[in-house]
Amino acid sequence: MPALLHLSPEVESALHEGRPVVALESTIIAHGMPYPQNVETAHRVEQAVRDAGATPATCAVWKGMMRAGLTAAELETFGRLGPQIPKASRRDMAYLVSRGLTGATTVASTMIIAHAAGIRVFATGGIGGVHRGAAHTFDISADLQELAQTPVTVVCAGAKSILDLGLTLEYLETHGVPVVGYGTSEFPAFYTRKSGFNVDFRLDTPSEIAALIKAQEALGLKNGIVVTNPIPEVFEPDALLIEKVTLEALAAAEREGVKGKAITPYLLSYIEKTTGGMSLAANIELVLNNARLAAAIAVSILPH
Ligand code: PSU
Ligand code: MN
């Protein structure tokens, strides 16, 4: 166990006893949703993992330590301070640790902490990807590079159409990352169930996905796996409205010169404000849905 990693007592005993654990990220709390819905959602997601028979491990960098499993007071701090807490991807971790600082972990850095802790399944909302216009901006999320090198399975609702989904899938293919559709052969686009792009493999049960993870481990392959879980139809917002607002958000970001790590939170909050909370409700439901699936996968993966 790395010296800079601290597990909550609950996560530590679950891992020690070989019980299923699901990692969760903290950028979604601090940068992905407004207060207080972010804290409420964090608790509901943890509860959804528990109800499905696994232990939740919300990850973060906290006062210079990698953490898996946060207290209610710490979740509250992430939610209340929100964007005042820096968004921390792989490149930010050493800096924060060297200064004893706190950061909200993205998919990439949560995967690093999960892997260090021995957690194999991680639930989130959406992964980062190749941004539209990346041929000029070079803006490709570090999440993709992490999936190329860290053996953790990330359960998500696909990726948002703020990204170039075709290039995101090409990038994952280049790096040997399998993209699975849970009950679908189409790659879901976060708010919407369809994107026009196919996944690599459709699997219909948590135990089939668990078998894929075990085969990947048995083969000694060290990359991650993406499991996409479409938003349930009842919570799916109107696809045309989402696309229209996404285009507006992209244009506004360009006008205001928003770049780098600020772009994803900017687009998310633009879409949320413009859809009057409709996108937030969908966001919450899809994260809960992913937490339940991730827990079911973690349950069927065991014993090692
Ligand atoms: N996509 C979402 N919601 C999110 C994020 C992405 O729909 O909250 C967050 C995740 O933490 C993801 C990060 O890992 O943004 C990607 O940011 P970037 O593109 O700067 O790597
Ligand atoms: Mn970026």
Side-chain angles (χ1 to χ4, degrees), residues 131 139-141 260:
H131 283 260
D139 193 347
I140 300 175
S141 172

Side-chain angles (χ1 to χ4, degrees), residues 104-125:
T105 50
T106 62
V107 168
S109 45
T110 302
M111 287 177 76
I112 293 171
I113 296 175
H115 182 54
I119 302 169
R120 293 141 90 193
V121 185
F122 162 22
T124 187

Side-chain angles (χ1 to χ4, degrees), residues 1-173:
M1 189 78 60
L4 289 165
L5 174 65
H6 177 82
L7 307 179
S8 68
E10 185 193 13
V11 170
E12 181 158 28
S13 62
L15 288 169
H16 186 74
E17 292 162 21
R19 288 186 279 114
V21 177
V22 172
L24 302 164
E25 61 153 301
S26 44
T27 285
I28 197 172
I29 306 172
H31 295 267
M33 291 179 193
Y35 182 77
Q37 288 94 334
N38 53 5
V39 178
E40 263 165 49
T41 304
H43 283 290
R44 288 180 66 197
V45 169
E46 290 200 345
Q47 192 56 45
V49 170
R50 287 198 177 92
D51 291 346
T55 298
T58 302
C59 296
V61 176
W62 178 266
K63 297 181 179 167
M65 294 281 286
M66 293 194 291
R67 293 279 303 274
L70 300 179
T71 64
E74 288 160 354
L75 286 179
E76 176 69 22
T77 301
F78 274 94
R80 203 164 20 81
L81 296 182
Q84 289 175 55
I85 295 182
K87 174 177 160 188
S89 195
R90 171 182 271 267
R91 65 109 188 254
D92 307 288
M93 294 179 78
Y95 172 78
L96 294 175
V97 167
S98 73
R99 299 248 165 176
L101 295 173
T102 294
T105 50
T106 62
V107 168
S109 45
T110 302
M111 287 177 76
I112 293 171
I113 296 175
H115 182 54
I119 302 169
R120 293 141 90 193
V121 185
F122 162 22
T124 187
I127 54 168
V130 179
H131 283 260
R132 296 191 193 185
H136 300 288
T137 62
F138 267 44
D139 193 347
I140 300 175
S141 172
D143 292 354
L144 300 187
Q145 198 49 45
E146 203 60 49
L147 282 159
Q149 60 180 317
T150 302
V152 170
T153 295
V154 180
V155 180
C156 63
K160 283 210 177 71
S161 63
I162 56 173
L163 302 168
D164 187 320
L165 299 185
L167 293 187
T168 299
L169 289 166
E170 287 294 344
Y171 193 98
L172 290 169
E173 182 197 4

